[in-house]
Amino acid sequence: MLGIFYVFKSFDYNVIFTLVPFLSNFIYFTIPLFNFEIDILFYICLFLFIGSVGKSAQVGLHTWLPDAMEGPTPVSALIHAATMVTAGVFLIARCSLLFEYAPLALGIVTIVGAMTAFFAATTALVQNDLKRVIAYSTCSQLGYMVFSCGTSNYNVGVFHLANHAFFKALLFLTAGAVIHALADEQDMRKMGGLVKILPYSYALMIIGSLSLAGFPFLTGFYSKDAVLEMAYGSFTITGHFAH
C-alpha cells in the first residue's frame, strides 16, 4: 500500500486503475530496492500477493489455518469457508488491473497457487483430526482460486470462491454434528459406522464431499472444472504447470 501511495498518490481504485496504463508505458519507471532496480508495478503486485499468501493460507504461510480449527464449528463454517480466508483471493481479483500489467507477478501467483492446491490436498490425506482434514481441503481449494486468478481468469476464481463457501460450510457443519454426537471426539480413527445413528449428517456430508470433488451437476463441478480448463487453455508454462 505504501508503494501504491508512493506512485499514485491515492488509494482510490478509480485513480489507480486510470493511471496504470499510462504508467506501464514508461518502461524505466523503476525504484531501487536492496541495490536492484525493480519495476514498480511488479513490486506492488508481489507485495499485495504476499499479503494474500498470509491471508489466504498459501504454501509457506498456511500453518495458521489448520490450527485455527480449535474454535466452535459454526465459527469455522462461517469464517473459514466464506469470509476470512477468501479475502486474499478477493484482493487479487479486485486489483486485477494492476496484476495484468505485471505478468511476472501473475506467474508467481499461478505457481504458488498450484503448489498450494497440490500440497494441502496431499497433507489432508494423512491427518487424523476431522476438522483439520476439512481445513487442509479449504487450503487446497484456495490454491485453485489463486492460480485461477494467476492465469487471468479472475471471474472463474471468484465463482469458485462463492461455490466453495457453500459446500465447505456444509462440510464444517456436518463435521460439527458428528463431533457433537460423539461427545466432542475429533479423532477419525475412533469413528466408523455412523450412518446408522446419523443418517442426515451422513447424507449431507456425502453431498458436500461430492460437490467438493467436482461431481457432475453439483456446484463444484461447474467452477472447479472451469478453473482447470482455463488453466490448460491459457497455453503458458505456468498455466500448464497449474493444470
Side-chain angles (χ1 to χ4, degrees):
M1 288 174 74
L2 283 170
I4 288 171
F5 195 79
Y6 172 74
V7 178
F8 300 104
K9 305 291 184 284
S10 171
F11 286 131
D12 190 334
Y13 280 122
N14 290 330
V15 174
I16 296 168
F17 291 168
T18 308
L19 291 175
V20 167
F22 297 105
L23 187 69
S24 66
N25 292 331
F26 298 107
I27 299 169
Y28 298 109
F29 196 89
T30 58
I31 59 163
L33 182 74
F34 303 128
N35 243 0
F36 290 97
E37 289 292 324
I38 294 180
D39 176 27
I40 187 68
L41 283 178
F42 169 72
Y43 165 80
I44 288 170
C45 290
L46 182 67
F47 276 81
L48 281 174
F49 177 58
I50 290 171
S52 300
V53 167
K55 190 68 172 166
S56 287
Q58 298 303 288
V59 67
L61 296 174
H62 65 281
T63 49
W64 67 267
L65 181 58
D67 293 342
M69 290 300 112
E70 309 303 329
T73 316
V75 176
S76 303
L78 264 177
I79 294 179
H80 294 280
T83 52
M84 188 173 73
V85 290
T86 49
V89 180
F90 178 77
L91 174 67
I92 299 173
R94 188 69 183 86
C95 297
S96 56
L97 209 139
L98 278 170
F99 277 90
E100 285 304 304
Y101 283 98
L104 185 59
L106 273 182
I108 294 170
V109 171
T110 310
I111 288 168
V112 172
M115 284 165 59
T116 304
F118 181 77
F119 159 81
T122 47
T123 309
L125 292 172
V126 293
Q127 297 296 314
N128 299 320
D129 188 314
L130 180 59
K131 282 172 74 179
R132 200 169 276 259
V133 171
I134 304 175
Y136 271 111
S137 159
T138 301
C139 210
S140 175
Q141 297 301 303
L142 287 163
Y144 273 91
M145 297 172 210
V146 167
F147 84 65
S148 179
C149 291
T151 54
S152 298
N153 297 299
Y154 306 95
N155 52 346
V156 183
V158 174
F159 178 41
H160 190 54
L161 187 156
N163 286 347
H164 169 260
F166 289 99
F167 59 70
K168 189 52 62 72
L170 176 64
L171 282 171
F172 268 125
L173 289 171
T174 46
V178 170
I179 291 165
H180 187 63
L182 298 178
D184 297 334
E185 179 57 66
Q186 291 184 220
D187 193 335
M188 291 200 299
R189 292 169 295 186
K190 299 179 182 176
M191 298 177 191
L194 297 176
V195 61
K196 294 170 186 171
I197 55 171
L198 297 168
Y200 290 116
S201 298
Y202 176 81
L204 290 169
M205 192 167 262
I206 285 286
I207 292 167
S209 301
L210 287 176
S211 185
L212 174 62
F215 191 78
F217 311 117
L218 293 169
T219 50
F221 171 70
Y222 294 103
S223 56
K224 202 171 179 181
D225 274 18
V227 167
L228 290 168
E229 282 169 28
M230 295 290 189
Y232 189 68
S234 65
F235 296 110
T236 57
I237 294 171
T238 52
H240 281 215
F241 172 77
H243 179 263

